[in-house]
Structures are given as C-alpha cells and as structure tokens.
C-alpha cells in the first residue's frame, strides 16, 4: 500500500503569511492526489484534486503542485478561516490512504 | 445539491456489529461513475479510509479492516451501508460517508459518532 507522509505535523503562522504543506508518497502516484481541509467538529472539505486543480468555490489563495512522489499545498495569504487541519489523500491505487494531517494554528 | 446523511446506532457493545447507513439525496446512487465511501476518525486523530463500493457493485476495503467490513448499496432506498463486525474500543470514531469521483471525495456527510462500550 502507498503511504503518505505530511510535513510538518503542525505549524504556527500569522494572518497574511504564506504557508506551504508537503505530502510525500512512498511510491509514485502521478497526479492522483487530493487535499482536504477539516475544521473542528466538521467533515473534511475538498480543496484540491488531481494535485493542482482547484475545487469549485475554493478561494484562489489555495494552490497545489507536484507529481510523482512530492506534492505541496500552498496558502498564499492566510486568512483567519484557514486555521484548520489539512490532509492529503492519494487515489492512484487502492487503498486510498490519507496522510496523517497537518494542523495549522494561529501564532 | 447532493447531500449525504449518516444514521445508525451511536453505541455498540464490544464484539458486536456496527451498522451505519448513508442516505443520499439530491442525486441518484445508481448514477454511473461514482463510488460511495466510508471514512472514520477516532477522537483526536486523523482520517482513516475504510473502503468504498462502486456503482457497479465492486467493493474495495482497507486491508487492515477487510476481514470485518462489508459495504453494500440499496438502490431502492438510494442509500449505502457499512457493517463492521467484532468491534472493540479501537473502533470508536466519527464515521463519515462520502461520494467519490475517480477517488476524489467531493461530497461528505456530517459524520456520526459511534462509541464501542459495554
């Protein structure tokens, strides 16, 4: 099974900061990666699919890049509502495991 | 707008079978090209992929749960279900259902907490 490792596990940042979260796959997955945002007590929300495609309705300050084994999620200018936990998920091959999550906190 | 809603027992005794249903509204579960997934999240922990069923009826399960999991579809009721047998305290979690498009989970239910306790 393909394992996903996110880094960092947690991150403190300020409103207006540029933030990057990394997801590394244990083997190549082409561009079959999605990013989700989860706020406390809520279901995850799809942000990015196919590594770099922005889901409809998601602000353009979110962007994704990468292919193969290394991927990044970037938030260009943090807003107060962006403080949450972010997960990557691969869908190149079964099973479709998630990364362990990155908790983004207010500095 | 597609909506998914989980329902089922919130308390299950150890060794028994957890049963949950996900009702789909605003769209047909029989529409081609979609998979119907279950994901869970133990308290304070990350997301764990449980498995999914394709519109064709094919199923794919997390290898670590495969011997205990069954996902099925009831097209007449526009819903799909999860059964997890021989539960222990480690199965205590919020359980989510979701729709997948080529594996991407675009619509999620709100989640339901299932506690395993005697």
């Amino acid at each position: 099974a393909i394992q996903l490792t996110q880094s960092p596990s947690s991150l403190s940042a300020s409103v207006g900061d540029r933030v990057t979260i990394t997801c590394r796959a244990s083997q190549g997955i082409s561009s079959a990666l999605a990013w989700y945002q989860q706020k406390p007590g809520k279901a995850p929300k799809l942000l990015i699919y196919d590594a770099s495609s922005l889901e409809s309705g998601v602000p353009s300050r979110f962007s994704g890049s990468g292919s193969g084994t290394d991927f990044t999620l970037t938030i260009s200018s943090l807003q107060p509502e962006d403080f949450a936990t972010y997960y990557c998920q691969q869908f190149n091959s079964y099973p479709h495991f998630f990364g362990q999550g990155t908790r983004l906190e207010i500095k | 707008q597609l909506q998914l809603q989980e329902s089922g027992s919130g308390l299950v005794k150890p060794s028994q079978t957890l049963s949950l249903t996900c009702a789909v509204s605003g769209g047909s579960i029989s529409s081609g090209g979609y998979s119907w997934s279950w994901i869970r999240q133990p308290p304070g922990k990350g997301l764990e992929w449980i498995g999914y069923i394709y519109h064709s009826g094919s199923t794919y399960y997390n290898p670590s749960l495969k011997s205990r999991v069954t996902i099925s579809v009831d097209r007449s009721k526009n819903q799909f279900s999860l059964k997890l047998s021989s539960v222990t305290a480690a199965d205590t979690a919020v359980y989510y259902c979701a729709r997948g498009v080529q594996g991407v989970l675009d619509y999620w239910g709100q989640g339901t907490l299932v506690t395993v306790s005697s």
Side-chain angles (χ1 to χ4, degrees), chain B residues 2-70:
Chain B
L2 192 76
Q3 292 187 319
L4 293 85
Q5 178 68 58
E6 304 90 347
S7 63
S9 175
L11 180 63
V12 182
K13 289 181 168 53
S15 80
Q16 293 191 342
T17 296
L18 176 160
S19 295
L20 295 175
T21 296
C22 181
V24 178
S25 59
S28 172
I29 202 168
S30 298
S31 298
Y34 299 119
S35 59
W36 303 95
S37 301
W38 288 96
I39 303 96
R40 71 181 183 179
Q41 186 170 37
K45 296 188 178 181
L47 301 171
E48 181 178 25
W49 183 82
I50 298 173
Y52 58 82
I53 185 166
Y54 271 120
H55 63 93
S56 63
S58 300
T59 52
Y60 297 81
Y61 301 134
N62 185 325
S64 70
L65 300 172
K66 188 174 183 179
S67 63
R68 300 193 291 130
V69 171
T70 302

